[in-house]
Amino acid sequence: MKRFPIIFAALSIQVAFGQAEFNLREVHEDPRSMVQGLSMSTAAMVPMENLLPDTFNVNDNKRAYLNASDTYRKQDSKTQSQIREAFNKEGEKAEQFSPVYRKLSDSGYCEDFSMAKQVSFSNCSGTLISDRHILTAGHCADEKNMCDDYRWVFDYKTDAKGNLPSSYTKDSVYNCKNIVASVNVKSNLGLATRLYQTFFRTDFAIIELDRPVVGRSPVELSSQKAVETGDKVFSISYPIGMPAKVNFDGEVQSGMNTSSYFWTSLIVFGGSSGGPIFSEETGELVGVISKGINTTIRDSDRKCVYEKHPDQMGDSSVGQTNSNAQMKKILEVLARKKIPVL
């Protein structure tokens, strides 16, 4: 059986899409059982204020929090700390959580943006690689207080009727307990160093959850053979915070001499960062979405964002993978932390 190494810095993040034109579909629209199974192991990194514990009083606490959540990030650090402490305490004993979905048209996207009627809920994507560990992009773990400010949520996807979950049980919602490892280009470094790291280093993080995940299996990591030009790949992620999308019919286009990255034809968006890239042949995880080109456009007159047509994009999306040495480092981290993976 053909095998590939896992790739920890792959693919384009800020590339626009309509839906069919960009080889995107809802998870329930994909007929492959392999995709349905893998989608159970993908998770969205959701801001704390978008997921309300059912222990909050609907008439008092929840309403007060909803009124405050839109400006949460603008609060002083003491106020933010108090809100986080209250929500984390409530979340520990909650059996269910109510989502706060926001339409993209209310989040800075133009009304004629092809997905304007969809909702946004999350910031990054990730994949279950052990019973209590998530693999994501390193830059997703760079947020200050990430473990306090975000929860990892499974099952954020539409059903066959196009409906989203109206609530999430505790078996779908997990807190970050610890950032086991994080490798990423740091914005506070000099330009030359940042450029070097962009092309010669990887971008990944391993997140330990607060408890073992229930009712779903970790994905299988591939680690034996480099991806090759022409290999078929697909991804499952949460572009611009939308419900899970399958980016299908992708292809590895070329690699770089350093083997730090590889290019693919997959088209994804910001919010897909950290999402998995799977081998079409084996279903194994061969990549992690990290960086790419920006093909959205801001309309200065309307003060909103819309997407370019695929014909305006040029040579599809940017994606690449780590070298064998970097892969070895990741596997060493997993082994040192005694994280069992498939």
Side-chain angles (χ1 to χ4, degrees):
M1 181 174 66
K2 188 176 183 180
R3 293 180 63 86
F4 308 87
I6 188 167
I7 309 142
F8 287 101
L11 282 204
S12 128
I13 299 209
Q14 295 181 331
V15 180
F17 57 95
Q19 183 115 354
E21 302 98 321
F22 300 97
N23 288 347
L24 283 173
R25 57 167 67 115
E26 305 295 331
V27 171
H28 71 81
E29 295 174 339
D30 197 298
R32 297 169 292 180
S33 59
M34 175 175 67
V35 171
Q36 300 302 316
L38 291 172
S39 72
M40 293 289 292
S41 301
T42 58
M45 192 179 90
V46 177
M48 172 195 57
E49 64 266 28
N50 286 354
L51 205 60
L52 309 178
D54 62 359
T55 50
F56 266 45
N57 184 286
V58 174
N59 296 321
D60 298 320
N61 295 344
K62 184 182 291 187
R63 178 175 297 172
Y65 183 72
L66 280 171
N67 291 337
S69 63
D70 287 337
T71 57
Y72 168 77
R73 303 295 176 185
K74 298 179 182 179
Q75 301 296 319
D76 61 77
S77 59
K78 182 178 180 179
T79 302
Q80 286 189 359
S81 178
Q82 291 173 341
I83 294 175
R84 287 198 306 269
E85 183 179 352
F87 256 65
N88 287 333
K89 184 177 181 179
E90 292 294 333
E92 290 176 358
K93 57 186 179 183
E95 294 293 324
Q96 287 191 316
F97 297 81
S98 298
V100 179
Y101 300 131
R102 293 179 174 83
K103 289 184 179 179
L104 290 177
S105 57
D106 296 331
S107 303
Y109 288 84
C110 301
E111 291 287 348
D112 56 352
F113 177 69
S114 60
M115 299 289 203
K117 294 184 179 179
Q118 294 223 17
V119 300
S120 183
F121 180 53
S122 58
N123 286 15
C124 278
S125 307
T127 314
L128 187 68
I129 60 169
S130 84
D131 66 344
R132 63 187 306 158
H133 291 88
I134 293 283
L135 177 65
T136 187
H139 67 266
C140 290
D142 274 354
E143 292 241 16
K144 184 179 180 181
N145 301 316
M146 189 272 267
C147 278
D148 291 328
D149 285 353
Y150 294 90
R151 292 189 172 102
W152 288 94
V153 180
F154 294 92
D155 302 324
Y156 173 41
K157 54 189 175 183
T158 57
D159 62 19
K161 295 182 178 179
N163 297 320
L164 284 167
S166 58
S167 64
Y168 294 87
T169 68
K170 65 178 183 179
D171 288 344
S172 294
V173 179
Y174 297 83
N175 291 335
C176 165
K177 179 181 178 181
N178 179 42
I179 300 175
V180 176
S182 179
V183 179
N184 180 37
V185 176
K186 303 297 182 181
S187 60
N188 62 342
L189 297 177
L191 176 60
T193 304
R194 292 205 308 274
L195 288 173
Y196 176 85
Q197 289 192 347
T198 296
F199 290 102
F200 294 93
R201 288 190 65 181
T202 189
D203 177 20
F204 79 96
I206 300 169
I207 309 299
E208 181 184 3
L209 303 177
D210 61 331
R211 64 193 191 281
V213 173
V214 176
R216 56 197 83 232
S217 301
V219 303
E220 184 173 355
L221 309 186
S222 185
S223 60
Q224 293 187 359
K225 184 177 179 298
V227 293
E228 299 174 353
T229 300
D231 287 341
K232 302 296 183 180
V233 293
F234 68 95
S235 67
I236 305 174
S237 65
Y238 307 89
I240 50 178
M242 293 189 298
K245 300 286 185 291
V246 181
N247 197 326
F248 61 95
D249 201 25
E251 184 175 292
V252 176
Q253 296 180 320
S254 64
M256 297 179 68
N257 293 334
T258 63
S259 297
S260 293
Y261 302 103
F262 67 87
W263 297 68
T264 82
S265 61
L266 292 174
I267 300 174
V268 290
F269 237 115
S272 292
S273 294
I277 306 165
F278 295 110
S279 162
E280 190 81 58
E281 181 179 353
T282 66
E284 295 169 328
L285 180 68
V286 299
V288 175
I289 298 171
S290 172
K291 59 178 67 72
I293 53 177
N294 185 356
T295 55
T296 56
I297 305 172
R298 180 168 181 79
D299 188 317
S300 57
D301 293 329
R302 294 189 292 167
K303 297 182 179 180
C304 60
V305 176
Y306 65 99
E307 77 266 43
K308 290 182 180 179
H309 188 274
D311 292 343
Q312 297 174 285
M313 292 183 190
D315 294 332
S316 64
S317 63
V318 179
Q320 299 142 350
T321 178
N322 62 296
S323 66
N324 292 334
Q326 292 164 331
M327 184 62 232
K328 181 180 179 181
K329 178 180 178 181
I330 305 242
L331 294 176
E332 286 175 351
V333 171
L334 294 172
R336 186 168 65 250
K337 298 294 182 178
K338 298 182 180 180
I339 300 174
V341 295
L342 298 178

